[in-house]
Amino acid sequence: IDGTTSMPTIWESEPIKMWSSLKSEAKPSTAGTVVGSTFEDLVVKSTGTDVLVLVHATWCQHCKSFLPLWTEMTKLLRASVSTIKTYDMDGELNEVHGVAIQSYPTLLLYPGLDKQRSVAYTGGFDELQSILNWASQHSSSLFNVNKIMKLQKNNALLKNEVDQEDSGRMEL
């Protein structure tokens, strides 16, 4: 009536859409990486597939220590479990509404049959079998952890044999 318009306050504006990107790097060129802007499509909308997301920070020493085990685990899962996908996300450069990160590293499982919730891993980040047991227990499709551990053991034996053959050739 007096000719002024009031600006809506934040709580009167449209609500933030769940899974929307609050902060994002550019879309990644490498497979296995998710950013804020691709999170909804790659994680939430991948129906029927369980998704493991490792949220890390480049400065985090625990993350750096866990990275070789994470890399090995993702290779083993890709080779033996067709119902699970793995992604990593830099938590310092990417934020997604609905994903609360308390510390690094954070490992989240989004079950294939219920993507509206995630299950956070609360164990140690130094034992592959514990992480796989947790993932199998909380995923929509159970998988055989013993089979994966056997595959890991066979891969380690094969690598050891190749290394021994290579060192034998160097001596000649």
Side-chain angles (χ1 to χ4, degrees):
I1 300 198
D2 64 1
T4 62
T5 18
S6 63
M7 295 299 290
T9 55
I10 291 175
W11 56 86
E12 292 174 338
S13 63
E14 287 187 35
I16 298 173
K17 181 183 167 209
M18 187 68 150
W19 312 119
S20 61
S21 173
L22 301 174
K23 180 168 61 169
S24 183
E25 294 177 272
K27 288 186 180 179
S29 58
T30 58
T33 299
V34 66
V35 297
S37 63
T38 62
F39 189 90
E40 184 175 15
D41 287 338
L42 294 176
V43 176
V44 181
K45 291 183 178 176
S46 61
T47 56
T49 304
D50 299 307
V51 180
L52 272 172
V53 179
L54 170 65
V55 184
H56 60 87
T58 54
W59 51 262
C60 171
Q61 289 303 314
H62 294 291
C63 298
K64 290 177 184 177
S65 297
F66 179 58
L67 190 58
L69 186 62
W70 170 254
T71 302
E72 179 181 15
M73 185 176 78
T74 59
K75 287 178 183 176
L76 290 167
L77 286 171
R78 287 179 185 150
S80 56
V81 182
S82 63
T83 58
I84 195 163
K85 293 181 182 179
T86 58
Y87 295 104
D88 61 81
M89 180 172 83
D90 187 325
E92 289 290 301
L93 301 175
N94 301 280
E95 290 181 31
V96 177
H97 181 67
V99 179
I101 304 301
Q102 303 297 319
S103 62
Y104 298 111
T106 295
L107 188 56
L108 301 169
L109 174 70
Y110 290 85
L113 298 177
D114 184 8
K115 294 292 179 69
Q116 297 307 308
R117 68 176 182 90
S118 65
V119 181
Y121 178 68
T122 57
F125 284 89
D126 56 350
E127 194 174 312
L128 178 63
Q129 187 161 0
S130 295
I131 298 169
L132 290 172
N133 284 334
W134 163 81
S136 179
Q137 179 183 10
H138 294 286
S139 65
S140 294
S141 302
L142 293 175
F143 53 87
N144 189 333
V145 173
N146 291 330
K147 178 182 169 185
I148 296 171
M149 295 306 295
K150 187 175 182 178
L151 179 62
Q152 180 209 25
K153 184 178 179 180
N154 290 342
N155 287 348
L157 290 172
L158 181 62
K159 183 184 181 313
N160 193 18
E161 287 177 14
V162 169
D163 289 347
Q164 288 178 355
E165 285 179 14
D166 287 345
S167 66
R169 288 184 188 136
M170 289 179 191
E171 292 174 6
L172 294 177

